[in-house]
């Protein structure tokens, strides 16, 4: 199975590489209140200061746990993420592919999230700062808004605290 590979603190899930010196696990209750930019966020993901293990990833894929990883490392990201959840998930999938062709974005991967109607799009980029990533995602999001009502979120985002700039690991590849 080529699903998971470990090398030091780096983890490979499908075609994605993440730094995995820590991870986040979803809990049923609020685990932390985060004050950021005059707002309060109620986190359900608990930060675990340990490397991910193959067992945890297997349990995630079996939907026993929901595991997320950070998108930012030292203020930089290697992925821009669009996460759509809605009834038009198949339309979103095709619109993204078409849009990326027109924007000359070739390095991307599309996966299914925890639910059937959740589509996760990971765009590979050279390391970008949070502000650069936010600006690039805004451009993509604006282009998508012309074709589809906004039911997606973009990550990383400068309007979110660091512990919210995390992404749930995907569950399956979408062909």
């Amino acid at each position: 199975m080529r699903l998971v590979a470990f090398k030091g603190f780096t983890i490979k899930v499908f075609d994605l590489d993440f730094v995995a010196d820590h991870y986040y696990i979803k809990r049923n209750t609020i685990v932390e209140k985060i004050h950021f930019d005059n707002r309060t966020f109620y986190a359900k993901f608990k930060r675990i200061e340990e490397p991910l293990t193959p067992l945890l990833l297997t349990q995630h894929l079996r939907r026993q746990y929901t595991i997320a990883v950070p998108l930012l490392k030292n203020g930089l990201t290697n992925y821009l993420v669009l996460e759509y959840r809605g009834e038009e998930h198949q339309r979103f999938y095709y619109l993204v592919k078409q849009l990326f062709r027109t924007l000359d974005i070739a390095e991307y991967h599309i996966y299914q999230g925890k639910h059937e109607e959740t589509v996760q799009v990971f765009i590979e980029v050279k390391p970008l700062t949070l502000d650069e990533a936010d600006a690039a995602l805004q451009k993509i999001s604006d282009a998508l808004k012309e074709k589809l009502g906004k039911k997606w979120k973009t990550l990383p985002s400068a309007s979110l605290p660091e512990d919210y700039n995390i992404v749930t690991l995907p569950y399956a590849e979408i062909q």
Side-chain angles (χ1 to χ4, degrees), residues 5-18:
F6 285 85
K7 185 176 183 181
F9 286 123
T10 303
I11 181 173
K12 186 171 189 75
V13 180
F14 300 108
D15 293 320
L16 306 171
D17 292 307
F18 298 103

Side-chain angles (χ1 to χ4, degrees), residues 7-157:
K7 185 176 183 181
F9 286 123
T10 303
I11 181 173
K12 186 171 189 75
V13 180
F14 300 108
D15 293 320
L16 306 171
D17 292 307
F18 298 103
V19 174
D21 58 344
H22 69 278
Y23 64 94
Y24 296 81
I25 190 163
K26 188 171 186 180
R27 301 295 187 199
N28 292 329
T29 60
I30 295 168
V31 294
E32 181 180 13
K33 273 195 332 187
I34 302 169
H35 299 286
F36 178 81
D37 205 20
N38 293 324
R39 297 186 297 170
T40 302
F41 294 85
Y42 297 93
K44 283 192 164 188
F45 280 89
K46 180 176 174 63
R47 183 178 172 136
I48 307 296
E49 294 293 340
E50 297 175 4
L52 268 170
T53 64
L55 176 60
L56 274 170
L57 282 170
T58 301
Q59 290 172 324
H60 168 79
L61 293 171
R62 290 182 181 156
R63 301 175 194 280
Q64 295 168 328
Y65 294 111
T66 301
I67 304 292
V69 293
L71 285 171
L72 296 172
K73 180 71 173 176
N74 300 323
L76 299 174
T77 185
N78 292 326
Y79 294 107
L80 305 178
V81 179
L82 299 169
E83 193 169 85
Y84 178 88
R85 184 167 180 185
E87 297 168 1
E88 297 184 89
H89 58 277
Q90 291 177 332
R91 182 172 179 222
F92 179 80
Y93 168 80
Y94 290 108
L95 281 173
V96 162
K97 290 179 83 167
Q98 183 181 27
L99 175 65
F100 287 179
R101 274 194 295 276
T102 62
L103 295 176
D104 290 325
I105 297 173
E107 296 296 320
Y108 65 92
H109 308 280
I110 303 176
Y111 301 99
Q112 182 179 348
K114 186 172 186 175
H115 307 282
E116 180 185 340
E117 65 276 358
T118 303
V119 176
Q120 294 177 306
V121 181
F122 290 81
I123 305 165
E124 289 184 47
V125 293
K126 292 182 180 172
L128 295 176
T129 66
L130 181 55
D131 290 334
E132 291 169 333
D134 206 37
L137 283 164
Q138 188 61 50
K139 179 181 173 186
I140 294 168
S141 191
D142 288 345
L144 277 171
K145 281 184 201 173
E146 294 177 15
K147 303 282 185 188
L148 190 67
K150 185 160 181 351
K151 290 186 179 178
W152 61 88
K153 66 180 179 179
T154 57
L155 294 167
S157 172

